[in-house]
Amino acid sequence: MGILAVLTVGGTASAGLPALPGTEPTPPPATNTPAPPSADAAAKPVKVNDSADAKKGIVSVQEGGRTLGMGTVLGGDGRILTALSGLRGAELADVKYADGHVVRARLGHKDPVWDLALLIPMSGRWTDGLTASEIDPSNGELKVFLAGGRAAPTSGRVKAKVDVRAKDGTQLDGALDLELRGSPIVGAPVVDGTGGVVGILVRACKPVDGSVCLQSIYAAPVAAIRNFLVRTPLNAVAPSPWLGIVGAPDSVGNTRGVRVMQIAPASPAAKAGLKTNNDQALAHLIVAVDGNPVDTPEKLADRISKHSVGETVKLLVLESEKFREVSVVLRAPP
């Protein structure tokens, strides 16, 4: 038995986009977010009626309260697609969600050529997001969210698909040259009438003669986004929640649970007041997590893994023949 230090919290990949390496499917998260789309639903984007659903998947990328750019939550996954140039060389940024709460995020994957970045939230488990469009973006009106979902999206359309250049001179095929109402912000998603993402606003050089890079804002198309995501490093995942105990199956009468055998110093379990004892009968017996019975270390680990760093779990423990509830704030392992 080892300290419950690494409890992988996987995520399903955004519907319509390739699976992100390093993840495993998990049951629906214990939050106010809906379950990820089913496999049947992955073939087409989800219909939205008034952009309200789409707004939930748009975030503001900030530093010190100042907006650097926008970002898109990958639906059912939780990681955030944005523009690398918006981060201005930073490895960390704040992410402000549609409901106003803010979490810290780190840069997990980047592509300076297409100006794309993938941010990994360090706490929380917000998975309301957007999916890839299956519609030709050249046909019909498009919407661009420029205010983190707090304001109505601006209208736009594709003027042309163009070949632009990265700052290093690499040719970028199929970028979307857009006509927009309002000032574009890098990282903002461009969506079709059903709420499916057709592109992400990035910076690129205009296709002009000469070596001078005249940067402008274009949309990286879905094909470029897919290619970016399939190259995601295996370690670009959210930190795992940590309880910090060694446990063993045990029972008292008809009550079965996980006996606390060891507690890691300064761990969430230690801070919450969980107890172990040389006299095993006096150590805490964990019998439930958020009302769900656990009677083996594996079941306990599974229940903890359904949460994320920063969340609070309620443990029902048996101590001296009396039950009591203990609240534990989970954190990442040391």
Side-chain angles (χ1 to χ4, degrees), residues 114-164:
W114 266 108
D115 192 28
L116 291 170
L118 189 68
L119 294 176
I120 315 299
M122 302 303 290
S123 62
R125 200 171 184 184
W126 182 286
T127 56
D128 276 337
L130 304 184
T131 65
S133 173
E134 301 296 334
I135 297 174
D136 184 350
S138 299
N139 301 323
E141 186 179 64
L142 303 174
K143 300 289 185 183
V144 183
F145 291 85
L146 301 180
R150 295 187 301 277
T154 186
S155 298
R157 67 177 183 86
V158 174
K159 291 191 293 185
K161 293 181 180 180
V162 295
D163 296 338
V164 294

Side-chain angles (χ1 to χ4, degrees), residues 4-315:
L4 301 181
V6 182
L7 300 173
T8 301
V9 180
T12 54
S14 173
L17 294 175
L20 292 176
T23 62
E24 295 294 337
T26 60
T31 67
N32 62 346
T33 60
S38 65
D40 291 338
K44 57 183 179 180
V46 178
K47 179 71 174 179
V48 291
N49 296 322
D50 58 4
S51 299
D53 291 337
K55 290 179 183 179
K56 295 177 183 177
I58 313 301
V59 301
S60 174
V61 180
Q62 304 179 342
E63 184 57 52
R66 179 170 55 92
T67 298
L68 303 176
M70 307 310 300
T72 301
V73 179
L74 298 180
D77 180 280
R79 287 174 279 189
I80 297 162
L81 186 65
T82 188
L84 180 63
S85 59
L87 299 178
R88 302 180 186 182
E91 294 287 322
L92 295 171
D94 293 323
V95 173
K96 186 174 184 179
Y97 290 89
D99 67 352
H101 85 277
V102 179
V103 304
R104 198 68 167 158
R106 67 174 176 86
L107 178 63
H109 181 35
K110 63 182 179 181
D111 180 358
V113 175
W114 266 108
D115 192 28
L116 291 170
L118 189 68
L119 294 176
I120 315 299
M122 302 303 290
S123 62
R125 200 171 184 184
W126 182 286
T127 56
D128 276 337
L130 304 184
T131 65
S133 173
E134 301 296 334
I135 297 174
D136 184 350
S138 299
N139 301 323
E141 186 179 64
L142 303 174
K143 300 289 185 183
V144 183
F145 291 85
L146 301 180
R150 295 187 301 277
T154 186
S155 298
R157 67 177 183 86
V158 174
K159 291 191 293 185
K161 293 181 180 180
V162 295
D163 296 338
V164 294
R165 291 186 294 114
K167 291 183 68 174
D168 67 358
T170 302
Q171 180 169 308
L172 307 176
D173 300 328
L176 305 180
D177 188 9
L178 302 173
E179 179 181 294
L180 299 174
R181 298 174 185 173
S183 301
I185 302 176
V186 291
V190 183
V191 301
D192 61 27
T194 70
V197 175
V198 304
I200 298 292
L201 296 187
V202 296
R203 289 189 175 94
C205 302
K206 292 182 178 181
V208 296
D209 294 333
S211 60
V212 177
C213 174
L214 300 176
Q215 280 201 328
S216 187
I217 293 181
Y218 299 88
V222 168
I225 295 171
R226 284 197 171 106
N227 185 54
F228 169 70
L229 292 178
V230 297
R231 294 182 283 112
T232 302
L234 294 177
N235 63 353
V237 294
S240 303
W242 184 52
L243 180 58
I245 71 165
V246 171
D250 201 0
S251 62
V252 176
N254 294 325
T255 302
R256 302 173 63 191
V258 178
R259 185 71 68 182
V260 179
M261 307 299 290
Q262 297 178 35
I263 300 177
S267 67
K271 292 182 178 181
L274 288 181
K275 297 178 182 178
T276 187
N277 197 291
N278 291 332
D279 183 350
Q280 183 171 319
L282 299 179
H284 278 165
L285 183 72
I286 302 173
V287 299
V289 178
D290 291 330
N292 300 288
V294 293
D295 55 11
T296 67
E298 292 75 20
K299 289 182 180 179
L300 175 59
D302 180 65
R303 284 295 171 187
I304 295 298
S305 73
K306 289 175 170 42
H307 293 270
S308 60
V309 171
E311 288 188 341
T312 299
V313 297
K314 295 185 181 299
L315 306 180

